[in-house]
Amino acid sequence: MNKNENHQIIHQSYEDISLQIHTRDEHTISRKQISDNALKVLYRLNGAGYDAYLVGGGVRDLLLKQQPKDFDIATNATPEQIKKLFRNCRLIGRRFRLAHIMFGRDIIEVATFRGHHQEAEKNISQQSKDGMLLRDNVYGSIDEDAERRDFTINAMYYNISDYAVHDYAGGVEDLEERLIRLIGDPETRYREDPVRMLRAIRFAAKLDFDIEEETGEPIEHLAPLLVDIPAARLYEESLKLLQAGHGLETYHLLREYNLFQQLFPVIAPYFTSEYDSHTEQMLDLVLDATDIRIDEGKRVNPAFMFAALLWYPMMGLTKQLMDSVGLSDYDAMMEASNIIIEQQIKSTAIPRRHTATIREIWQLQFRLPRRTGKRAYRLMELNKFRAGFDFLEMRAQIEGKEIEELAKWWGTFQTAGRNMRQAMVNDLGGAGSGSKSNYRRKRPAKSKAAKGNK
Ligand code: ATP
Ligand code: MG
């Protein structure tokens, strides 16, 4: 078996690993910047005789004078030993066994140093034939732990016992040069875990760093390896990529490296060299709007974003179904929604509660033109009306014409008083659909027949 050969490659020590220690007065991290809960955990571990370090994004972001998203801790205590020290501790993880120390809603993640595979007697690690790590639960020394981390800037450890920063891979220097650099041989590291390609892009966009040449070079042709990653993990990752404040920039970078195309295979066919298809305009609009909302501290809804990303591909398919199978536009839209969502969840497992909302937002686009009689009033009472209307406004910016008129109408209607509203509805004229839209819902019996003909 070539499994062993793979192991050989992976277990070579990387040349990039050599420890540099920056003592307390040689760096800018102060304990005041670390959360009380993280400090508690660090001190408790250390007090019990274990090594305890802050590691990863926490150290990186503090050195960059940014507020870390969370504080991760690494230690030589095993998960069982950690559990004995903390009443509020839960052991979790399938791929990696981790300890979560719970302080109400705040969770501090504590990981035991991970080691190399070959040194484990009972080999609890597994690898696929592509060199991908499947399971990974071997404990090791801090040096080994550092070697297994992804980027140099993520392999810095802040030691609670003397407040020094242990830099194993030249992360401090790369921070100064603003570079994303993988530890070890890039191709090997991407094959072990293809998600590292996405992480390279995520950090480059988030930190406004460049991707070092050798780290960037293999990505475009290794991008298809993402097909082997479970869709649930890619869904989580897609949120971190697109809904963490730098979505627009991240999307453009992902696309440049052929990665967006892997995450969203139903969108890729709508990409143009001019970047100006409706799909591409929508991506720019919704990701920009999302970034702004996050910057303003507002909540963002994944369903709204996915609805926008997939809308024009879904409409493209709707048109095809109307032409080829002769479905009404509403039935074709329903069918196209099923197909597009089904295809998309193969790569990113959007949870059902969100796919339900996506469908509602899409269906509303077909209902919002019908405003006569009591319809407009009823539509406004729907749970998802606001999302449907916001969505319509984005479409208006892209499509103009009737959609723009319609969005304006709804904008006015919502803020108008009673009399004005009634006048607006009356102005729409008699029966019919009340708009220039050719939307007309067919009777259910007929739509079933049409589906049956497929
Ligand atoms: P942030 O939390 O700000 O997104 P982070 O660097 O803390 O960034 P996490 O996903 O929280 O990222 O991971 C914590 C640390 O674990 C990383 O800094 C890195 O050292 C290591 N790590 C995470 N994912 C991987 C991976 N796929 N391969 C190797 N090391 C990883
Ligand atoms: Mg983190």
Side-chain angles (χ1 to χ4, degrees), residues 55-58 60-61 68-70 72 95 114 148-151 153-155 189 193 195-196 199 202-203 206 233 240:
V55 65
R60 179 194 70 218
D61 292 349
K69 210 176 65 196
D70 44 38
D72 298 316
R95 262 166 58 86
R114 280 188 223 132
R148 314 251 335 254
R149 293 189 177 264
D150 46 8
F151 306 104
I153 56 168
N154 286 347
R189 303 298 322 273
D193 182 4
V195 170
R196 289 174 185 148
R199 291 174 57 86
R202 176 154 75 83
F203 293 125
K206 170 182 158 165
R233 186 169 177 215
K240 290 189 200 166

PDB file of all heavy atoms in Angstrom, residues 55-58 60-61 68-70 72 95 114 148-151 153-155 189 193 195-196 199 202-203 206 233 240, ligand 1:
ATOM      1  N   VAL A  55      -2.976  30.138  21.674  1.00  0.00           N
ATOM      2  CA  VAL A  55      -2.396  29.808  20.376  1.00  0.00           C
ATOM      3  C   VAL A  55      -3.344  30.208  19.247  1.00  0.00           C
ATOM      4  O   VAL A  55      -4.522  30.493  19.485  1.00  0.00           O
ATOM      5  CB  VAL A  55      -2.074  28.286  20.311  1.00  0.00           C
ATOM      6  CG1 VAL A  55      -3.348  27.458  20.375  1.00  0.00           C
ATOM      7  CG2 VAL A  55      -1.261  27.942  19.073  1.00  0.00           C
ATOM      8  N   GLY A  56      -2.808  30.222  18.045  1.00  0.00           N
ATOM      9  CA  GLY A  56      -3.658  30.403  16.861  1.00  0.00           C
ATOM     10  C   GLY A  56      -4.108  31.847  16.689  1.00  0.00           C
ATOM     11  O   GLY A  56      -3.352  32.787  16.959  1.00  0.00           O
ATOM     12  N   GLY A  57      -5.378  31.988  16.270  1.00  0.00           N
ATOM     13  CA  GLY A  57      -5.913  33.304  15.937  1.00  0.00           C
ATOM     14  C   GLY A  57      -5.805  34.313  17.078  1.00  0.00           C
ATOM     15  O   GLY A  57      -5.631  35.509  16.825  1.00  0.00           O
ATOM     16  N   GLY A  58      -5.908  33.833  18.314  1.00  0.00           N
ATOM     17  CA  GLY A  58      -5.830  34.744  19.452  1.00  0.00           C
ATOM     18  C   GLY A  58      -4.491  35.478  19.493  1.00  0.00           C
ATOM     19  O   GLY A  58      -4.442  36.712  19.615  1.00  0.00           O
ATOM     20  N   ARG A  60      -2.218  35.651  17.014  1.00  0.00           N
ATOM     21  CA  ARG A  60      -2.057  36.365  15.747  1.00  0.00           C
ATOM     22  C   ARG A  60      -2.760  37.725  15.786  1.00  0.00           C
ATOM     23  O   ARG A  60      -2.162  38.765  15.502  1.00  0.00           O
ATOM     24  CB  ARG A  60      -2.648  35.488  14.631  1.00  0.00           C
ATOM     25  CG  ARG A  60      -2.582  36.089  13.238  1.00  0.00           C
ATOM     26  CD  ARG A  60      -3.510  35.295  12.311  1.00  0.00           C
ATOM     27  NE  ARG A  60      -4.913  35.537  12.643  1.00  0.00           N
ATOM     28  CZ  ARG A  60      -5.860  34.615  12.611  1.00  0.00           C
ATOM     29  NH1 ARG A  60      -5.601  33.373  12.269  1.00  0.00           N
ATOM     30  NH2 ARG A  60      -7.107  34.934  12.933  1.00  0.00           N
ATOM     31  N   ASP A  61      -4.027  37.710  16.172  1.00  0.00           N
ATOM     32  CA  ASP A  61      -4.796  38.947  16.132  1.00  0.00           C
ATOM     33  C   ASP A  61      -4.301  39.942  17.178  1.00  0.00           C
ATOM     34  O   ASP A  61      -4.268  41.143  16.926  1.00  0.00           O
ATOM     35  CB  ASP A  61      -6.291  38.643  16.306  1.00  0.00           C
ATOM     36  CG  ASP A  61      -6.861  37.884  15.102  1.00  0.00           C
ATOM     37  OD1 ASP A  61      -6.148  37.787  14.075  1.00  0.00           O
ATOM     38  OD2 ASP A  61      -7.998  37.394  15.178  1.00  0.00           O
ATOM     39  N   PRO A  68      -9.335  39.529  18.878  1.00  0.00           N
ATOM     40  CA  PRO A  68      -9.525  38.132  18.435  1.00  0.00           C
ATOM     41  C   PRO A  68     -10.992  37.720  18.503  1.00  0.00           C
ATOM     42  O   PRO A  68     -11.733  38.202  19.358  1.00  0.00           O
ATOM     43  CB  PRO A  68      -8.714  37.317  19.437  1.00  0.00           C
ATOM     44  CG  PRO A  68      -7.788  38.279  20.076  1.00  0.00           C
ATOM     45  CD  PRO A  68      -8.483  39.602  20.068  1.00  0.00           C
ATOM     46  N   LYS A  69     -11.375  36.825  17.591  1.00  0.00           N
ATOM     47  CA  LYS A  69     -12.735  36.295  17.583  1.00  0.00           C
ATOM     48  C   LYS A  69     -12.940  35.387  18.796  1.00  0.00           C
ATOM     49  O   LYS A  69     -13.980  35.374  19.414  1.00  0.00           O
ATOM     50  CB  LYS A  69     -12.930  35.496  16.287  1.00  0.00           C
ATOM     51  CG  LYS A  69     -14.329  35.483  15.752  1.00  0.00           C
ATOM     52  CD  LYS A  69     -14.361  34.740  14.426  1.00  0.00           C
ATOM     53  CE  LYS A  69     -14.008  33.280  14.630  1.00  0.00           C
ATOM     54  NZ  LYS A  69     -13.649  32.583  13.412  1.00  0.00           N
ATOM     55  N   ASP A  70     -11.917  34.591  19.076  1.00  0.00           N
ATOM     56  CA  ASP A  70     -11.988  33.707  20.229  1.00  0.00           C
ATOM     57  C   ASP A  70     -10.560  33.378  20.678  1.00  0.00           C
ATOM     58  O   ASP A  70      -9.607  33.691  19.984  1.00  0.00           O
ATOM     59  CB  ASP A  70     -12.749  32.421  19.897  1.00  0.00           C
ATOM     60  CG  ASP A  70     -12.342  31.859  18.554  1.00  0.00           C
ATOM     61  OD1 ASP A  70     -11.136  31.922  18.203  1.00  0.00           O
ATOM     62  OD2 ASP A  70     -13.213  31.347  17.830  1.00  0.00           O
ATOM     63  N   ASP A  72      -8.094  30.380  21.664  1.00  0.00           N
ATOM     64  CA  ASP A  72      -7.851  28.939  21.709  1.00  0.00           C
ATOM     65  C   ASP A  72      -6.628  28.654  22.556  1.00  0.00           C
ATOM     66  O   ASP A  72      -5.654  29.402  22.539  1.00  0.00           O
ATOM     67  CB  ASP A  72      -7.629  28.395  20.292  1.00  0.00           C
ATOM     68  CG  ASP A  72      -8.860  28.596  19.416  1.00  0.00           C
ATOM     69  OD1 ASP A  72      -9.968  28.341  19.904  1.00  0.00           O
ATOM     70  OD2 ASP A  72      -8.702  29.029  18.267  1.00  0.00           O
ATOM     71  N   ARG A  95     -13.201  14.370  14.606  1.00  0.00           N
ATOM     72  CA  ARG A  95     -11.900  14.434  13.948  1.00  0.00           C
ATOM     73  C   ARG A  95     -10.791  14.668  14.981  1.00  0.00           C
ATOM     74  O   ARG A  95      -9.787  13.984  14.987  1.00  0.00           O
ATOM     75  CB  ARG A  95     -11.887  15.568  12.920  1.00  0.00           C
ATOM     76  CG  ARG A  95     -12.136  15.105  11.491  1.00  0.00           C
ATOM     77  CD  ARG A  95     -12.436  16.289  10.614  1.00  0.00           C
ATOM     78  NE  ARG A  95     -11.369  17.286  10.624  1.00  0.00           N
ATOM     79  CZ  ARG A  95     -10.309  17.240   9.823  1.00  0.00           C
ATOM     80  NH1 ARG A  95     -10.153  16.246   8.984  1.00  0.00           N
ATOM     81  NH2 ARG A  95      -9.411  18.187   9.859  1.00  0.00           N
ATOM     82  N   ARG A 114      -0.916  18.095  19.446  1.00  0.00           N
ATOM     83  CA  ARG A 114      -1.045  16.955  18.537  1.00  0.00           C
ATOM     84  C   ARG A 114       0.305  16.556  17.988  1.00  0.00           C
ATOM     85  O   ARG A 114       1.137  17.404  17.687  1.00  0.00           O
ATOM     86  CB  ARG A 114      -1.962  17.304  17.378  1.00  0.00           C
ATOM     87  CG  ARG A 114      -3.380  17.189  17.783  1.00  0.00           C
ATOM     88  CD  ARG A 114      -4.273  17.348  16.606  1.00  0.00           C
ATOM     89  NE  ARG A 114      -5.355  18.203  17.024  1.00  0.00           N
ATOM     90  CZ  ARG A 114      -5.778  19.238  16.359  1.00  0.00           C
ATOM     91  NH1 ARG A 114      -5.225  19.567  15.214  1.00  0.00           N
ATOM     92  NH2 ARG A 114      -6.764  19.964  16.809  1.00  0.00           N
ATOM     93  N   ARG A 148       2.072  20.926  12.760  1.00  0.00           N
ATOM     94  CA  ARG A 148       0.819  20.481  12.171  1.00  0.00           C
ATOM     95  C   ARG A 148      -0.145  21.617  11.916  1.00  0.00           C
ATOM     96  O   ARG A 148      -1.213  21.420  11.351  1.00  0.00           O
ATOM     97  CB  ARG A 148       0.149  19.498  13.113  1.00  0.00           C
ATOM     98  CG  ARG A 148       1.098  18.451  13.660  1.00  0.00           C
ATOM     99  CD  ARG A 148       0.811  17.155  13.068  1.00  0.00           C
ATOM    100  NE  ARG A 148      -0.572  17.138  12.655  1.00  0.00           N
ATOM    101  CZ  ARG A 148      -1.508  16.490  13.265  1.00  0.00           C
ATOM    102  NH1 ARG A 148      -1.208  15.755  14.279  1.00  0.00           N
ATOM    103  NH2 ARG A 148      -2.735  16.537  12.825  1.00  0.00           N
ATOM    104  N   ARG A 149       0.174  22.798  12.387  1.00  0.00           N
ATOM    105  CA  ARG A 149      -0.732  23.935  12.153  1.00  0.00           C
ATOM    106  C   ARG A 149      -0.607  24.403  10.716  1.00  0.00           C
ATOM    107  O   ARG A 149       0.334  24.044  10.020  1.00  0.00           O
ATOM    108  CB  ARG A 149      -0.439  25.034  13.162  1.00  0.00           C
ATOM    109  CG  ARG A 149      -0.809  24.535  14.543  1.00  0.00           C
ATOM    110  CD  ARG A 149      -0.779  25.565  15.613  1.00  0.00           C
ATOM    111  NE  ARG A 149      -1.221  24.916  16.839  1.00  0.00           N
ATOM    112  CZ  ARG A 149      -2.467  24.953  17.307  1.00  0.00           C
ATOM    113  NH1 ARG A 149      -3.390  25.660  16.685  1.00  0.00           N
ATOM    114  NH2 ARG A 149      -2.792  24.306  18.401  1.00  0.00           N
ATOM    115  N   ASP A 150      -1.564  25.188  10.277  1.00  0.00           N
ATOM    116  CA  ASP A 150      -1.572  25.512   8.852  1.00  0.00           C
ATOM    117  C   ASP A 150      -0.572  26.595   8.448  1.00  0.00           C
ATOM    118  O   ASP A 150       0.363  26.334   7.701  1.00  0.00           O
ATOM    119  CB  ASP A 150      -2.992  25.821   8.359  1.00  0.00           C
ATOM    120  CG  ASP A 150      -3.781  26.764   9.264  1.00  0.00           C
ATOM    121  OD1 ASP A 150      -3.188  27.320  10.208  1.00  0.00           O
ATOM    122  OD2 ASP A 150      -4.989  26.947   9.018  1.00  0.00           O
ATOM    123  N   PHE A 151      -0.744  27.797   8.952  1.00  0.00           N
ATOM    124  CA  PHE A 151       0.078  28.906   8.472  1.00  0.00           C
ATOM    125  C   PHE A 151       1.055  29.375   9.543  1.00  0.00           C
ATOM    126  O   PHE A 151       0.802  29.208  10.738  1.00  0.00           O
ATOM    127  CB  PHE A 151      -0.820  30.071   8.019  1.00  0.00           C
ATOM    128  CG  PHE A 151      -1.835  29.631   7.008  1.00  0.00           C
ATOM    129  CD1 PHE A 151      -3.163  29.452   7.351  1.00  0.00           C
ATOM    130  CD2 PHE A 151      -1.439  29.316   5.713  1.00  0.00           C
ATOM    131  CE1 PHE A 151      -4.093  28.996   6.428  1.00  0.00           C
ATOM    132  CE2 PHE A 151      -2.348  28.858   4.779  1.00  0.00           C
ATOM    133  CZ  PHE A 151      -3.680  28.695   5.137  1.00  0.00           C
ATOM    134  N   ILE A 153       1.656  32.242  10.630  1.00  0.00           N
ATOM    135  CA  ILE A 153       1.072  33.224  11.558  1.00  0.00           C
ATOM    136  C   ILE A 153       0.072  32.591  12.521  1.00  0.00           C
ATOM    137  O   ILE A 153      -0.399  33.248  13.440  1.00  0.00           O
ATOM    138  CB  ILE A 153       0.385  34.390  10.806  1.00  0.00           C
ATOM    139  CG1 ILE A 153      -0.684  33.853   9.840  1.00  0.00           C
ATOM    140  CG2 ILE A 153       1.416  35.235  10.065  1.00  0.00           C
ATOM    141  CD1 ILE A 153      -1.591  34.943   9.295  1.00  0.00           C
ATOM    142  N   ASN A 154      -0.244  31.322  12.296  1.00  0.00           N
ATOM    143  CA  ASN A 154      -1.148  30.610  13.210  1.00  0.00           C
ATOM    144  C   ASN A 154      -0.388  29.665  14.137  1.00  0.00           C
ATOM    145  O   ASN A 154      -0.998  28.901  14.876  1.00  0.00           O
ATOM    146  CB  ASN A 154      -2.183  29.807  12.416  1.00  0.00           C
ATOM    147  CG  ASN A 154      -3.241  30.691  11.806  1.00  0.00           C
ATOM    148  OD1 ASN A 154      -3.348  31.872  12.160  1.00  0.00           O
ATOM    149  ND2 ASN A 154      -4.031  30.137  10.897  1.00  0.00           N
ATOM    150  N   ALA A 155       0.925  29.694  14.064  1.00  0.00           N
ATOM    151  CA  ALA A 155       1.725  28.752  14.875  1.00  0.00           C
ATOM    152  C   ALA A 155       2.572  29.499  15.905  1.00  0.00           C
ATOM    153  O   ALA A 155       3.722  29.181  16.138  1.00  0.00           O
ATOM    154  CB  ALA A 155       2.601  27.897  13.962  1.00  0.00           C
ATOM    155  N   ARG A 189       0.455  19.739   2.191  1.00  0.00           N
ATOM    156  CA  ARG A 189      -0.438  20.249   3.237  1.00  0.00           C
ATOM    157  C   ARG A 189      -1.865  20.435   2.722  1.00  0.00           C
ATOM    158  O   ARG A 189      -2.828  20.237   3.452  1.00  0.00           O
ATOM    159  CB  ARG A 189       0.089  21.584   3.800  1.00  0.00           C
ATOM    160  CG  ARG A 189       1.486  21.569   4.365  1.00  0.00           C
ATOM    161  CD  ARG A 189       1.766  20.674   5.552  1.00  0.00           C
ATOM    162  NE  ARG A 189       0.803  20.484   6.615  1.00  0.00           N
ATOM    163  CZ  ARG A 189       0.663  21.258   7.690  1.00  0.00           C
ATOM    164  NH1 ARG A 189       1.396  22.332   7.837  1.00  0.00           N
ATOM    165  NH2 ARG A 189      -0.205  20.968   8.623  1.00  0.00           N
ATOM    166  N   ASP A 193      -5.385  18.298   3.934  1.00  0.00           N
ATOM    167  CA  ASP A 193      -6.638  18.950   4.276  1.00  0.00           C
ATOM    168  C   ASP A 193      -6.917  20.084   3.286  1.00  0.00           C
ATOM    169  O   ASP A 193      -6.432  21.205   3.450  1.00  0.00           O
ATOM    170  CB  ASP A 193      -6.586  19.499   5.701  1.00  0.00           C
ATOM    171  CG  ASP A 193      -7.908  20.147   6.096  1.00  0.00           C
ATOM    172  OD1 ASP A 193      -8.866  20.103   5.293  1.00  0.00           O
ATOM    173  OD2 ASP A 193      -7.994  20.696   7.209  1.00  0.00           O
ATOM    174  N   VAL A 195      -9.259  21.996   2.906  1.00  0.00           N
ATOM    175  CA  VAL A 195      -9.891  23.209   3.449  1.00  0.00           C
ATOM    176  C   VAL A 195      -8.844  24.296   3.718  1.00  0.00           C
ATOM    177  O   VAL A 195      -9.164  25.490   3.768  1.00  0.00           O
ATOM    178  CB  VAL A 195     -10.708  22.869   4.718  1.00  0.00           C
ATOM    179  CG1 VAL A 195     -11.168  24.106   5.450  1.00  0.00           C
ATOM    180  CG2 VAL A 195     -11.920  22.022   4.329  1.00  0.00           C
ATOM    181  N   ARG A 196      -7.597  23.876   3.862  1.00  0.00           N
ATOM    182  CA  ARG A 196      -6.537  24.880   4.066  1.00  0.00           C
ATOM    183  C   ARG A 196      -6.466  25.869   2.904  1.00  0.00           C
ATOM    184  O   ARG A 196      -6.061  27.020   3.091  1.00  0.00           O
ATOM    185  CB  ARG A 196      -5.180  24.186   4.252  1.00  0.00           C
ATOM    186  CG  ARG A 196      -5.102  23.468   5.590  1.00  0.00           C
ATOM    187  CD  ARG A 196      -3.844  22.648   5.750  1.00  0.00           C
ATOM    188  NE  ARG A 196      -3.895  21.911   7.004  1.00  0.00           N
ATOM    189  CZ  ARG A 196      -3.343  20.728   7.210  1.00  0.00           C
ATOM    190  NH1 ARG A 196      -2.670  20.141   6.240  1.00  0.00           N
ATOM    191  NH2 ARG A 196      -3.452  20.145   8.390  1.00  0.00           N
ATOM    192  N   ARG A 199      -8.894  28.411   3.808  1.00  0.00           N
ATOM    193  CA  ARG A 199      -8.401  29.199   4.944  1.00  0.00           C
ATOM    194  C   ARG A 199      -7.359  30.212   4.491  1.00  0.00           C
ATOM    195  O   ARG A 199      -7.312  31.338   4.999  1.00  0.00           O
ATOM    196  CB  ARG A 199      -7.854  28.272   6.039  1.00  0.00           C
ATOM    197  CG  ARG A 199      -8.960  27.463   6.732  1.00  0.00           C
ATOM    198  CD  ARG A 199      -8.406  26.439   7.715  1.00  0.00           C
ATOM    199  NE  ARG A 199      -7.564  26.997   8.753  1.00  0.00           N
ATOM    200  CZ  ARG A 199      -7.999  27.499   9.917  1.00  0.00           C
ATOM    201  NH1 ARG A 199      -9.292  27.510  10.185  1.00  0.00           N
ATOM    202  NH2 ARG A 199      -7.149  27.973  10.801  1.00  0.00           N
ATOM    203  N   ARG A 202      -9.289  33.007   3.172  1.00  0.00           N
ATOM    204  CA  ARG A 202     -10.028  33.694   4.232  1.00  0.00           C
ATOM    205  C   ARG A 202      -9.118  34.639   5.013  1.00  0.00           C
ATOM    206  O   ARG A 202      -9.455  35.800   5.245  1.00  0.00           O
ATOM    207  CB  ARG A 202     -10.642  32.659   5.184  1.00  0.00           C
ATOM    208  CG  ARG A 202     -11.347  33.261   6.370  1.00  0.00           C
ATOM    209  CD  ARG A 202     -12.425  32.335   6.892  1.00  0.00           C
ATOM    210  NE  ARG A 202     -11.937  31.196   7.629  1.00  0.00           N
ATOM    211  CZ  ARG A 202     -11.618  31.244   8.923  1.00  0.00           C
ATOM    212  NH1 ARG A 202     -11.717  32.367   9.594  1.00  0.00           N
ATOM    213  NH2 ARG A 202     -11.208  30.159   9.541  1.00  0.00           N
ATOM    214  N   PHE A 203      -7.947  34.153   5.399  1.00  0.00           N
ATOM    215  CA  PHE A 203      -7.049  35.006   6.177  1.00  0.00           C
ATOM    216  C   PHE A 203      -6.479  36.142   5.322  1.00  0.00           C
ATOM    217  O   PHE A 203      -6.294  37.260   5.807  1.00  0.00           O
ATOM    218  CB  PHE A 203      -5.926  34.175   6.810  1.00  0.00           C
ATOM    219  CG  PHE A 203      -6.416  33.226   7.870  1.00  0.00           C
ATOM    220  CD1 PHE A 203      -6.137  31.866   7.812  1.00  0.00           C
ATOM    221  CD2 PHE A 203      -7.186  33.684   8.935  1.00  0.00           C
ATOM    222  CE1 PHE A 203      -6.600  30.987   8.786  1.00  0.00           C
ATOM    223  CE2 PHE A 203      -7.660  32.813   9.915  1.00  0.00           C
ATOM    224  CZ  PHE A 203      -7.368  31.463   9.840  1.00  0.00           C
ATOM    225  N   LYS A 206      -9.313  38.647   5.210  1.00  0.00           N
ATOM    226  CA  LYS A 206      -9.626  39.217   6.516  1.00  0.00           C
ATOM    227  C   LYS A 206      -8.513  40.144   7.019  1.00  0.00           C
ATOM    228  O   LYS A 206      -8.774  41.214   7.549  1.00  0.00           O
ATOM    229  CB  LYS A 206      -9.857  38.075   7.515  1.00  0.00           C
ATOM    230  CG  LYS A 206      -9.945  38.526   8.970  1.00  0.00           C
ATOM    231  CD  LYS A 206     -10.135  37.357   9.928  1.00  0.00           C
ATOM    232  CE  LYS A 206      -9.677  37.770  11.319  1.00  0.00           C
ATOM    233  NZ  LYS A 206     -10.126  36.886  12.381  1.00  0.00           N
ATOM    234  N   ARG A 233     -19.076  20.442   6.567  1.00  0.00           N
ATOM    235  CA  ARG A 233     -17.900  21.262   6.897  1.00  0.00           C
ATOM    236  C   ARG A 233     -17.769  22.434   5.922  1.00  0.00           C
ATOM    237  O   ARG A 233     -17.459  23.551   6.324  1.00  0.00           O
ATOM    238  CB  ARG A 233     -16.640  20.379   6.858  1.00  0.00           C
ATOM    239  CG  ARG A 233     -15.408  21.123   7.327  1.00  0.00           C
ATOM    240  CD  ARG A 233     -14.204  20.208   7.548  1.00  0.00           C
ATOM    241  NE  ARG A 233     -13.046  20.992   7.930  1.00  0.00           N
ATOM    242  CZ  ARG A 233     -11.792  20.719   7.570  1.00  0.00           C
ATOM    243  NH1 ARG A 233     -11.551  19.644   6.822  1.00  0.00           N
ATOM    244  NH2 ARG A 233     -10.804  21.492   7.948  1.00  0.00           N
ATOM    245  N   LYS A 240     -18.022  31.260   7.234  1.00  0.00           N
ATOM    246  CA  LYS A 240     -16.849  32.002   7.709  1.00  0.00           C
ATOM    247  C   LYS A 240     -16.236  32.821   6.577  1.00  0.00           C
ATOM    248  O   LYS A 240     -15.675  33.884   6.794  1.00  0.00           O
ATOM    249  CB  LYS A 240     -15.785  31.038   8.252  1.00  0.00           C
ATOM    250  CG  LYS A 240     -16.168  30.374   9.557  1.00  0.00           C
ATOM    251  CD  LYS A 240     -14.967  29.630  10.113  1.00  0.00           C
ATOM    252  CE  LYS A 240     -15.372  28.576  11.115  1.00  0.00           C
ATOM    253  NZ  LYS A 240     -14.265  27.654  11.403  1.00  0.00           N
TER     254      LYS A 240
HETATM  255  P1  ATP B   1     -10.234  32.740  13.490  1.00  0.00           P
HETATM  256  O1  ATP B   1     -10.721  32.023  14.704  1.00  0.00           O
HETATM  257  O2  ATP B   1      -9.922  34.171  13.689  1.00  0.00           O
HETATM  258  O3  ATP B   1     -11.047  32.484  12.281  1.00  0.00           O
HETATM  259  P2  ATP B   1      -8.011  30.973  13.825  1.00  0.00           P
HETATM  260  O4  ATP B   1      -6.628  31.020  13.260  1.00  0.00           O
HETATM  261  O5  ATP B   1      -8.142  31.023  15.291  1.00  0.00           O
HETATM  262  O6  ATP B   1      -8.811  32.123  13.113  1.00  0.00           O
HETATM  263  P3  ATP B   1      -9.447  28.520  13.980  1.00  0.00           P
HETATM  264  O7  ATP B   1     -10.245  27.873  12.921  1.00  0.00           O
HETATM  265  O8  ATP B   1     -10.098  29.030  15.200  1.00  0.00           O
HETATM  266  O9  ATP B   1      -8.665  29.689  13.251  1.00  0.00           O
HETATM  267  O10 ATP B   1      -8.291  27.495  14.356  1.00  0.00           O
HETATM  268  C1  ATP B   1      -7.395  27.726  15.436  1.00  0.00           C
HETATM  269  C2  ATP B   1      -5.998  27.293  15.066  1.00  0.00           C
HETATM  270  O11 ATP B   1      -5.979  25.890  14.772  1.00  0.00           O
HETATM  271  C3  ATP B   1      -5.437  27.954  13.827  1.00  0.00           C
HETATM  272  O12 ATP B   1      -4.838  29.184  14.107  1.00  0.00           O
HETATM  273  C4  ATP B   1      -4.426  26.927  13.355  1.00  0.00           C
HETATM  274  O13 ATP B   1      -3.228  27.016  14.087  1.00  0.00           O
HETATM  275  C5  ATP B   1      -5.086  25.609  13.700  1.00  0.00           C
HETATM  276  N1  ATP B   1      -5.895  25.084  12.568  1.00  0.00           N
HETATM  277  C6  ATP B   1      -7.197  25.284  12.347  1.00  0.00           C
HETATM  278  N2  ATP B   1      -7.611  24.640  11.243  1.00  0.00           N
HETATM  279  C7  ATP B   1      -6.528  24.011  10.739  1.00  0.00           C
HETATM  280  C8  ATP B   1      -6.299  23.172   9.603  1.00  0.00           C
HETATM  281  N3  ATP B   1      -7.281  22.884   8.773  1.00  0.00           N
HETATM  282  N4  ATP B   1      -5.036  22.697   9.426  1.00  0.00           N
HETATM  283  C9  ATP B   1      -4.043  23.001  10.284  1.00  0.00           C
HETATM  284  N5  ATP B   1      -4.202  23.775  11.348  1.00  0.00           N
HETATM  285  C10 ATP B   1      -5.413  24.287  11.594  1.00  0.00           C
END
